[in-house]
């Protein structure tokens, strides 16, 4: 195991760690990384230093990031079970995104459509790369219709598609004319677009907004109708949230996109509130739905018991119904009983331990809540594909420089729908809420909630991971599977926060309890002490067995 | 011989649940089997990220793969500058003994000239003299199986040098597990053979917990050993499906004038006999007693388990060398291969010809070998078991029959990197897994619940 250079956090200087990362880079790389590695300092409540984010990874640096295709097909659309997805491209891209994110879904009956276990690909061959793949794509769509008769088909473009000039949108239109009962749409999510998965989120949001949302007039029964945006049901998180929603009396109209079906998306414009979980991947949708249909949105967080309670309260206050507010309180009270009991049992064993989180575009922030609840501290955190607003808060959006990589992602101009625009709250109601401290369209970012001197790192790479664990020697490190084994070789327990190491749920109240227990097991394990054989620890043991004496 | 070849009769255009991974994945795996070598995937970062993720899910080890991180501009105007920057950065950070560059569909589609970029790179004095080996791996032309062989071939083509014979022997295995590789090296040692195995990811992809930190996991064929491969007295391709342009052994033997052997994956008694005979011939030593005993135990096990397996029908799939190897092996045990499939395209000729002795086996090749097509074929074939990677899970689940996991990727069971498919010993383990799967199935599908089965 690696020896920590400095034993405890309190005497580790973030500056020193930053220096030791940067001084091994050539000047140009160091300059850029210097802007992406920031020592946190919060002033006046929400002023934090600027960080460079959503910027292209330097070639040859082993990034955690994936591509736009992964963000579009894998992240946003992947969790939907009945939009049939066809990858247009060579075989690898489709194969690698085949159920890898492990989203869960629960069709109502066995005969309900669920295409998640399928990976359809046009599997382009050399001929098509040379002469074009549109014909093959059309054929694939026709086959898919014959085979599954789906309500909707999404076509996902991979890198070569953009280069050989295939027009997936034209193919979609043509096929939709031929099969008007199927909604067919294409995504220009070629992997080279943008700088990470994030570009793909945006592409996905745009297309789902223009081609799916608003297609169906259906409103679920209930008084308090909400959509949850940016919850992808990893490890069953969405199931837990659904459970809580029902207990509280909210009607969950649709979830974008965990455990979701096409018709819920298509009619989502009929809900009265959008709450946003993962700000990064879905804020576009929230904004556009507000502009077009008048549905307000605000940020929630169902990761962490306290955060869950806070989010539920906010939702109840939004609707403003005393009965609802009371019901939400009683649900929270009932659920917190067990949460607090487990917290009490686990906290003494975890108190003071240190965590690091490098994941996603929201999880590195959300999961700090859970660690805090069991007395653990976050030394350093960062996102894989976030933008400045996810770090510093939405207030910085107007000042974000739009570079070439961002410019190639379409920004839709949205205007109010002539017939269906319906502001859910009148101006004076909104004002009343706001003057009572209620915030809409809000996200304050991760840095504003982190301690001074914690190290914030955007787009952490393999090499920096090594330095971080060497210098800080945290008690637990959270990231994805690509980082898992290198961290564990370094003697540090590693928790996957993309796939949850195939467990979960970690959202909501039940999820919080699951997480506390999991972390307790990990940070208090004896396994790492077995790595060295006793005679390696103290060489004098060799040959000193009883019979040798 | 009554072999039914399905190629060309494909009824579906789209590939539904593919039975092959993409070419650069195979290449990077091979490069990870060279000591202190870092693979670099030339294309958008998505490919390398997906590939890393996938390899890791099987091996549960750190996997460093760099990327040249194409942007939209490089996708349009060419990525050679990105490649050079990427080389600068990986060489500076990792001090590798070699960089293995694998192209992608993207760089190949735009026609990026990698050899030229590399020539320019070294001519300009960059790269600290670290050897850079490149292999062309567009996935629209080949799968991970071809990418793997291609990378090995490229490595010897650009590194191996001749010289006075050192009496060593070169071995070029197909994709097998780290445990298999360790076993192969033990066998060579027991024969007293000075062998070079390429690639050798037995340690780099299945290493111990670390006491010290390593930039790149230890282990692998040293670059120096590859350099010396031209001085060997023989080269052996393991796996009969390798085509001439992909064969490292053939290349070396032709260029340096030494003996060349091509032998099947030593899986099953006959294939092992053939392999051990070659080793005995080349080393001049008899097969060590230890292996004769292993062989004896294996034959004995075949006999003992015959009552469970005889007449059973199996679906087998995987890379060409593995799938044909398995089919040959289970044929010996009384299990009939009713469908043998590979998603590979480049090595399908060898695939078909490696199955001549088995009557009535259906071959599904390339496009036809996706899991959905296989499932459709299985409705008539009525197999009793499925043998191959984790990707056959839905096939086995749909058919309600056991899946015996083998090959790559195995990510829904623990220890994929230690599954054996090599030698008498590997066959024994594999055989036990098959028999136990059948016994478990019999036991579970029996209403009384016998504990003797
Ligand atoms: S583009 Fe080609 S190389 Fe990249 S993941 Fe897709 S199939 Fe593999
Ligand atoms: S080819 Fe493009 S779309 Fe496919 S995995 Fe690579 S980067 Fe992503």
């Amino acid at each position: 195991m690696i020896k920590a250079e400095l034993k405890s956090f309190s005497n580790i200087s973030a500056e020193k760690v930053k220096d030791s990362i940067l001084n091994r880079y050539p000047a140009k790389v160091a300059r850029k990384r210097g802007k992406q590695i920031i020592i946190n300092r919060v002033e006046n409540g929400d002023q934090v230093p600027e960080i460079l984010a959503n910027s292209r990874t330097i070639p040859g640096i082993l990034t955690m990031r994936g591509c736009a295709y992964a963000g579009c097909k894998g992240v946003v659309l992947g969790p939907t079970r009945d939009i049939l997805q066809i990858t247009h491209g060579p075989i690898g891209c489709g194969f690698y995104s085949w159920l890898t994110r492990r989203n869960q879904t629960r069709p109502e009956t066995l005969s309900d459509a669920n295409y998640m276990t399928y990976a359809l690909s046009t599997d382009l061959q050399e001929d098509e790369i040379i002469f074009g793949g549109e014909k093959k794509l059309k054929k694939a769509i026709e086959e898919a219709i014959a085979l599954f008769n789906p309500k909707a088909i999404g076509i996902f473009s991979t890198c070569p598609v953009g280069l050989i000039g295939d027009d997936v949108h034209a193919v979609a239109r043509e096929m939709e004319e031929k099969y008007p009962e199927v909604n067919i749409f294409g995504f220009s999510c070629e992997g080279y677009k943008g700088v990470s998965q994030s570009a793909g989120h945006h592409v996905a949001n745009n297309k789902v907004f223009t081609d799916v949302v608003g297609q169906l007039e259906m409103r679920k029964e209930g008084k308090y109708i909400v959509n949850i945006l940016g919850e992808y049901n990893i490890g069953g998180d969405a199931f837990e949230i659904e459970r809580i929603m029902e207990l509280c009396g909210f009607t969950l109209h649709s979830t974008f996109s965990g455990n979701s079906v096409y018709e819920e998306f298509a009619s989502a414009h009929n809900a009265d509130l959008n709450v946003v979980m993962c700000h990064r991947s879905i804020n576009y949708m929230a904004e556009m739905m507000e502009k077009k249909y008048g549905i307000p949105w605000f940020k929630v967080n169902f990761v962490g018991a306290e955060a869950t309670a806070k989010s539920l309260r906010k939702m109840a206050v939004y609707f403003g119904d005393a009965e609802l507010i009371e019901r939400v309180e009683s649900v929270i009270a009932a659920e917190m009983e067990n949460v607090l009991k487990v917290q009490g049992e686990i906290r003494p064993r975890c108190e003071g331990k240190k965590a690091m989180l490098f994941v996603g575009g929201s999880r590195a922030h959300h999961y700090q809540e859970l660690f805090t609840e069991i007395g653990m501290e976050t030394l350093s955190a960062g996102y894989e594909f976030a933008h400045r607003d996810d770090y510093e808060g939405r207030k910085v959006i107007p000042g974000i420089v739009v570079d070439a990589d961002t410019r190639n992602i379409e920004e839709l101009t949205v205007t109010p729908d002539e017939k269906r625009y319906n502001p859910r709250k009148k101006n004076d109601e909104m004002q009343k809420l706001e003057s009572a401290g209620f915030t809409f369209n809000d996200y304050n970012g991760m840095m504003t909630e982190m301690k001074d001197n914690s190290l914030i790192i955007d787009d952490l790479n393999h090499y920096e991971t090594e330095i971080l664990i060497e210098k800080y020697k945290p008690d637990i490190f959270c990231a994805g599977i690509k980082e898992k084994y290198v961290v564990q070789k370094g003697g540090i327990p590693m928790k996957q926060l993309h796939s949850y190491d195939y467990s979960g749920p970690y959202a909501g109240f039940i999820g919080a309890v699951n997480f506390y227990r999991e972390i307790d097991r990990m940070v208090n394990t004896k396994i790492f002490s077995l790595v060295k054989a006793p005679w390696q620890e103290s060489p004098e043991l060799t040959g000193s067995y009883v019979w040798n004496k | 011989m009554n072999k039914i070849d399905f190629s060309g009769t494909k009824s579906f255009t789209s590939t539904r649940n593919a039975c092959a991974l993409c070419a650069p994945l195979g290449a990077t795996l091979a490069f990870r089997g060279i000591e202190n070598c870092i693979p670099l995937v030339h294309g958008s970062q998505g490919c390398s990220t997906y590939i890393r993720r996938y390899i890791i899910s099987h091996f549960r080890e750190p996997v460093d793969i760099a990327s040249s991180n194409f942007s939209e501009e490089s996708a349009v105007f060419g990525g050679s500058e990105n490649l050079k920057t990427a080389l600068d950065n990986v060489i500076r950070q990792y001090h590798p003994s070699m960089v293995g560059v694998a192209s992608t569909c993207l760089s190949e589609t735009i026609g990026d000239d990698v050899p030229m970029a590399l020539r320019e790179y070294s001519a300009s004095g960059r790269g600290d003299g670290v050897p850079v080996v490149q292999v062309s791996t567009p996935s629209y032309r080949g799968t991970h199986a071809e990418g793997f062989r291609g990378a090995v071939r490229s490595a010897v083509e650009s590194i191996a040098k001749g010289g006075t014979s050192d009496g060593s022997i070169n071995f070029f295995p197909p994709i097998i597990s780290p445990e298999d590789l360790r076993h192969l090296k033990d066998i060579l040692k027991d024969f007293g053979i000075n062998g070079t195995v390429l690639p050798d990811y037995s340690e780099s992809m299945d290493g111990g917990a670390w006491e010290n930190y390593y930039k790149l996991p230890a282990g692998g064929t040293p670059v120096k050993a590859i350099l010396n491969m031209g001085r060997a007295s023989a080269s052996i391709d393991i796996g009969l499906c390798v085509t001439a342009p992909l064969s490292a052994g053939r290349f070396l033997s032709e260029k340096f004038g030494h003996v060349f052997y091509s032998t099947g994956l030593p899986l099953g008694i006959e294939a092992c006999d053939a392999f051990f005979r070659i080793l005995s011939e080349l080393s001049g030593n008899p097969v060590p007693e230890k292996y004769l005993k292993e062989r004896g135990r294996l034959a004995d096990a075949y006999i003992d388990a015959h009552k469970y397996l005889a007449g059973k029908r199996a679906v087998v799939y995987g890379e060409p060398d593995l799938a044909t190897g398995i089919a040959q092996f289970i044929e010996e045990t009384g299990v009939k291969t009713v469908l043998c499939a590979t998603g590979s395209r480049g090595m399908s000729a060898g695939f078909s010809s490696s199955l001549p002795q088995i009557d009535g086996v259906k071959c599904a090749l390339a496009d036809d070998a996706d899991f959905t097509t296989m499932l459709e074929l299985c409705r008539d074939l009525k197999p009793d078991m499925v043998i191959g990677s984790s990707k056959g899970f839905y096939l086995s689940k749909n058919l309600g029959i056991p899946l015996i996991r083998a090959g790559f990727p195995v990510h829904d069971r623990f220890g994929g990197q230690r599954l054996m498919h090599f030698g008498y010993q590997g066959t024994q383990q594999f055989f036990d897994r098959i028999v136990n799967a059948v016994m478990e199935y019999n036991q579970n599908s029996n209403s009384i619940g016998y504990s003797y089965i």
Side-chain angles (χ1 to χ4, degrees), chain A residues 148-163:
Chain A
F148 298 104
N149 193 22
K151 297 191 182 87
I153 295 179
I155 306 157
F156 298 84
S157 310
T158 63
C159 290
V161 168
L163 298 168

Side-chain angles (χ1 to χ4, degrees), chain A residues 66-70 87 90 92-94 96 157-160 189-193, chain B residues 43-50 104-106:
Chain A
C67 61
Y69 164 82
T87 295
C93 323
Y96 299 133
S157 310
T158 63
C159 290
C189 53
E190 288 88 348
Y192 54 71
K193 293 220 166 130
Chain B
S44 300
Q45 75 205 12
C47 310
S48 87
T49 293
Y50 269 142
T104 58
C105 304
L106 174 57

Side-chain angles (χ1 to χ4, degrees), chain A residues 65 119 126 143 408 466 536, chain B residues 13 17 49 141 211 213:
Chain A
R65 288 173 169 176
E126 186 134 29
E143 283 173 4
N408 62 34
E466 295 163 10
Q536 288 172 298
Chain B
T13 305
N17 296 354
T49 293
R141 214 181 286 147
E211 282 175 53
Y213 196 77

Side-chain angles (χ1 to χ4, degrees), chain A residues 104-329:
Chain A
Q104 302 189 11
T105 202
R106 208 180 258 164
E108 265 161 39
T109 71
L110 274 178
S111 55
D112 280 351
N114 179 9
Y115 309 126
M116 285 201 348
T117 57
Y118 283 91
L120 276 91
S121 165
T122 49
D123 191 359
L124 292 180
Q125 295 302 303
E126 186 134 29
D127 272 0
E128 288 112 25
I129 294 286
I130 298 167
F131 300 111
E134 290 184 11
K135 242 171 68 197
K136 194 170 191 184
L137 176 59
K138 285 181 208 166
K139 193 95 198 295
I141 293 172
E142 302 208 286
E143 283 173 4
I145 293 174
L147 205 60
F148 298 104
N149 193 22
K151 297 191 182 87
I153 295 179
I155 306 157
F156 298 84
S157 310
T158 63
C159 290
V161 168
L163 298 168
I164 60 178
D166 276 9
D167 186 343
V168 295
H169 307 289
V171 170
R173 273 194 304 276
E174 186 188 325
M175 297 315 284
E176 202 176 282
E177 262 161 44
K178 196 161 168 195
Y179 301 95
E181 68 289 354
V182 191
N183 186 356
I184 305 173
F185 37 91
F187 296 88
S188 290
C189 53
E190 288 88 348
Y192 54 71
K193 293 220 166 130
V195 304
S196 68
Q197 293 92 314
S198 172
H201 304 150
H202 198 165
V203 172
N205 277 235
N206 286 351
K207 204 48 161 192
V208 171
F209 181 73
T210 55
D211 283 45
V212 181
V213 175
Q215 298 293 313
L216 179 72
E217 291 311 329
M218 182 265 278
R219 190 175 145 99
K220 288 193 180 169
E221 295 285 313
K223 261 163 106 179
Y224 318 110
I225 302 183
V226 295
N227 298 319
I228 296 184
L229 310 186
E231 164 49 55
Y232 302 110
N233 203 18
I234 308 295
D237 278 353
F239 298 146
E240 165 65 356
I241 296 171
E242 286 168 18
R243 180 187 75 89
I244 298 171
M245 290 291 128
E246 198 178 322
L247 284 177
C248 292
F250 295 107
T251 301
L252 191 52
H253 190 92
S254 69
T255 303
F256 285 64
S257 54
N259 194 30
S260 62
V261 291
Y262 171 76
E263 284 174 350
E264 292 170 349
F265 285 176
S267 58
H269 61 292
N270 290 309
D272 292 327
L273 171 66
N274 280 333
V275 293
V276 170
M277 265 293 276
C278 172
H279 172 262
R280 180 68 268 132
S281 60
I282 207 96
N283 74 87
Y284 320 95
M285 179 66 74
E287 287 277 290
M288 293 189 291
M289 280 173 75
E290 172 154 33
K291 281 191 192 137
K292 185 164 178 182
Y293 302 107
I295 308 174
W297 73 267
F298 53 80
K299 173 85 178 66
V300 291
N301 176 17
F302 293 113
V303 177
E306 279 303 325
T308 303
K310 204 170 132 196
S311 300
L312 293 172
R313 289 189 177 113
K314 187 165 180 183
M315 290 165 67
V317 170
Y318 168 82
F319 286 104
D321 193 330
E323 197 187 321
L324 174 68
I325 294 173
E326 200 176 306
R327 182 158 166 193
V328 163
E329 285 306 330

